[in-house]
Amino acid sequence: MVEEVLTVIAGEAEMWVDDRRAVLAAGQSLIIPAHRKHGFRNVASGTLHIHAVLASPIFEASFDGAAEPVRRWTA
């Protein structure tokens, strides 16, 4: 797991890191430290567009209840 930056491009998102939550609007970003449980959801009636930047040559995701991380992309 690596540091991530999530930026709301359009819409509004509730984002969380561990037990801290915030609502972000277009143009706002959240920096997520490595190895922290986090997520987001659309809290507006329109479409949510998020731009995610991950500081890693690979992308792995793990979800609640998953036995192993899922490798989505490799360099």
Side-chain angles (χ1 to χ4, degrees):
M1 302 274 212
V2 298
E3 183 176 87
E4 292 181 46
V5 179
L6 298 178
T7 301
V8 177
I9 303 300
E12 288 186 320
E14 178 185 31
M15 295 186 178
W16 59 89
V17 177
D18 297 327
D19 61 350
R20 298 183 68 186
R21 295 178 179 269
V23 174
L24 282 75
Q28 295 182 308
S29 298
L30 178 67
I31 298 172
I32 302 157
H35 305 286
R36 302 289 286 278
K37 195 172 203 173
H38 62 281
F40 61 88
R41 69 182 183 100
N42 187 354
V43 293
S45 59
T47 302
L48 173 64
H49 292 272
I50 298 282
H51 181 254
V53 176
L54 291 84
S56 176
I58 63 170
F59 176 71
E60 292 184 344
S62 59
F63 304 95
D64 289 342
E68 297 180 19
V70 176
R71 180 163 286 187
R72 301 283 186 188
W73 175 82
T74 59

